[in-house]
Amino acid sequence: MLHINDITFRIDGKPIFESATAGIPTGHKVGLVGRNGAGKTTLLRLVTGELALDGGSISTAKAARIGIVAQEAPGGPESLVEWVLQADLERAALLAEAETASDGHRIAEIHQRLADIDAHAAPARAATILSGLGFDEAAQARPCGSFSGGWRMRVALAAALFASPEVLLLDEPTNYLDLEGALWLETFIARYPHTVLIVSHDRDLLNKAVGSILHLDRGKLTLYSGGYDDFERQRRERQRLDLKLKAKQDDQRRHMEAFVERFRAKATKARQAQSRLKALERMQPIAEVIERRVAPFIFPSPAKKLGDPLLRLEGASVGYGEGPPVLAGLSLRIDEDDRIGLLGANGNGKSTFAKLISGRLEPREGLRRCSKKLTFGYFAQHQLDELDPAGSPYTHIAALMPEATEAQKRAKLGALGFGADKADTKCAHLSGGEKARLLFAIATFEGPHILILDEPTNHLDVDSREALVMALNEYEGAVILISHDRHLIEATADRLWVVRDGSVRPYDGDIESYRMECLAERGGRGRRGGQNSGAAARAGGDGDPRGSELRSGDRRTSALRRADLAPLRKEIAGHERRMEDLSSKIARLDAALSDVDLYQREPDKVARYAQKRAELARDLEETEAAWLEASELLESGGGK
């Protein structure tokens, strides 16, 4: 059991936790969620003892080991397997002692303990975990220092998983992983035999790998049973009940206050008035439910349409320097309505392919055909570090609007989610999510024909990811998406291409079938998934691949319907504006009709108001019915 008992913690006087309490039963897998900046990582550091509490306590079962991914990635000469094996401190200590022990009884005890902890199977277990995280057999034998920082963080994650602590703490572990690794980790956590507390914004991971959600909001912790979707449903219901209870309590408070004011001075009622005063003092106010809405992402659609295909590759190959090509034999096309999710392990060439598409790399062989007027929007995680740290959202956006007035620039920033409190904040002081939002705005400012997103969700919370899904579905250009977020791919991509074995080919299955393939592959020897050796790539076939892709049916059909669905979305938006307008007019009439004096002063006006309200109510009911019908039609894919 992990006990969090009435904890209080402040940073620079600002309360992060205020009398927060939660209990996690032994063996439970719990997802820790909350808005960015709420204090999720801080809670993990408090559990490990890295930070000291201002009040309260955190405790675990006696002798329980707490494990967390090391913040510094390994970079020494040890092989990956050797470094992961060292994470089992008891095994490492017993093996070291066995080398020097001379007492026969002690030697027997050492070997018995090694047998008890299954030490001889440890190398195979370490190799299995490394394979699941994307390292093939050759990569596992290489020194840690030969890998880039992102890959070394995977090794640190592998070590934490291998150590198998009784309480495992994970902080956004899928940020280091590709989709294949994230799918494997999801299954590993679900089967993990001990307690897990995982900070994540990955909806699929939180739905499939954990059995409870611990919600951190305004310094308090609330535990919900079920996955993320269950949590959202329960939280909405709790908010609804809290609002009803608050309204009832407010009525009670008004009645008590009125009674006290009326009878405070009367001797016969003084005792009752004092009783009411004490009751008012004891009445704990129910917190107002505050919905902090996430600002939408705004991706302008291309101002000028181009004919299909937007871009075509004909027998193209691409690589770096004098080495062999990373990808070869590429014969593919991209149309205006394409939403393409790129699958494939990191190191296989997804980012290289994106650079070829965007013109950042030229083909070595073959052709890349497109209009000179074709424009691209490009988002990649490394660009967060390329923002001017001394600049602000205002300076970055103002540079794109040289002819605009100050008011127009500020209005644009507000629409992009940078209000007065953030518009002039230096980029060095922005959160990762705020930097990502600024990069999205810069990349899409001119309404590109093709939008390329390389891991766009790493710094976005769940609500921001949903806002991204909505923006992509409303955007009318083509999208190339590289992401480990399965929900994002399933919600936005109509076609899947797999980058593997030195080529890019259409994938006829769906994400679930791809997941099963990955688990089967990484559950075995993990032949694919490490850093690509860079061996000569295989050719990917000739001609237009769309004929084979049509066999899958659903994704391509969905893409073809996109243009048909655009008017439906506009119709829904019109209904929503109409409902808002009607509701506002009805509210004004209700306010007028609540004036008691009006009934005596102008009875004719009361009759007109009542008649008008009835008409508006009928209009609202009809508009709501039309909105519901259109919404259901949109959800069904346009009814075709």
Side-chain angles (χ1 to χ4, degrees), residues 346-403:
N346 282 357
N348 281 357
K350 296 192 298 294
S351 295
T352 299
F353 180 71
K355 292 176 182 177
L356 172 65
I357 292 295
S358 64
R360 298 186 174 207
L361 285 176
E362 291 295 327
R364 289 184 178 180
E365 298 177 351
L367 297 174
R368 173 183 175 273
R369 297 182 183 274
C370 65
S371 169
K372 292 181 180 179
K373 297 180 180 180
L374 183 67
T375 58
F376 295 87
Y378 194 97
F379 176 100
Q381 282 299 317
H382 66 82
Q383 293 175 318
L384 268 67
D385 299 324
E386 296 174 5
L387 291 170
D388 179 8
S392 65
Y394 175 82
T395 60
H396 282 86
I397 297 301
L400 301 173
M401 306 173 65
E403 305 298 325

Side-chain angles (χ1 to χ4, degrees), residues 128-205:
T128 298
I129 293 174
L130 284 167
S131 173
L133 294 176
F135 298 97
D136 58 23
E137 293 177 9
Q140 292 175 24
R142 287 169 50 190
C144 294
S146 67
F147 291 87
S148 65
W151 284 91
R152 293 205 302 270
M153 285 307 301
R154 292 196 191 198
V155 182
L157 174 59
L161 300 180
F162 173 78
S164 195
E166 283 76 22
V167 179
L168 175 63
L169 308 177
L170 298 174
D171 192 354
E172 293 288 1
T174 57
N175 280 2
Y176 317 130
L177 305 178
D178 49 25
L179 174 62
E180 293 74 11
L183 293 172
W184 177 87
L185 182 65
E186 177 186 294
T187 301
F188 184 93
I189 292 173
R191 297 175 179 174
Y192 190 73
H194 306 302
T195 304
V196 180
L197 181 59
I198 178 171
V199 175
S200 180
H201 296 302
D202 188 322
R203 182 184 290 265
D204 282 294
L205 180 68

Side-chain angles (χ1 to χ4, degrees), residues 20-34:
T21 298
I24 299 176
T26 301
H28 278 227
K29 285 82 174 176
V30 177
L32 176 58
V33 303

Side-chain angles (χ1 to χ4, degrees), residues 176-248:
Y176 317 130
L177 305 178
D178 49 25
L179 174 62
E180 293 74 11
L183 293 172
W184 177 87
L185 182 65
E186 177 186 294
T187 301
F188 184 93
I189 292 173
R191 297 175 179 174
Y192 190 73
H194 306 302
T195 304
V196 180
L197 181 59
I198 178 171
V199 175
S200 180
H201 296 302
D202 188 322
R203 182 184 290 265
D204 282 294
L205 180 68
L206 295 175
N207 274 325
K208 297 182 181 298
V210 305
S212 303
I213 297 293
L214 185 61
H215 184 217
L216 171 55
D217 183 44
R218 286 171 284 182
K220 301 293 185 182
L221 292 166
T222 307
L223 190 66
Y224 295 81
S225 62
Y228 187 84
D229 289 345
D230 298 315
F231 151 71
E232 277 284 12
R233 185 167 53 254
Q234 293 175 63
R235 183 168 69 108
R236 296 297 180 195
E237 178 64 17
R238 176 174 290 190
Q239 288 176 339
R240 187 182 68 81
L241 293 175
D242 283 349
L243 284 173
K244 290 178 65 176
L245 188 59
K246 184 178 187 303
K248 183 177 180 180

Side-chain angles (χ1 to χ4, degrees), residues 179 201-204 299 339-341 440 453-458 460 464-473 479-494 496 511:
L179 174 62
H201 296 302
D202 188 322
R203 182 184 290 265
D204 282 294
F299 297 162
R339 305 302 171 92
I340 300 166
F440 281 129
L453 303 179
D454 191 348
E455 293 296 353
T457 62
N458 278 0
L460 302 183
S464 295
R465 293 183 185 204
E466 287 303 310
L468 178 60
V469 167
M470 294 179 65
L472 288 175
N473 284 332
V479 176
I480 306 292
L481 179 62
I482 303 170
S483 179
H484 64 260
D485 188 326
R486 182 169 22 144
H487 174 70
L488 178 66
I489 294 176
E490 288 181 320
T492 60
D494 298 320
L496 300 176
I511 287 290

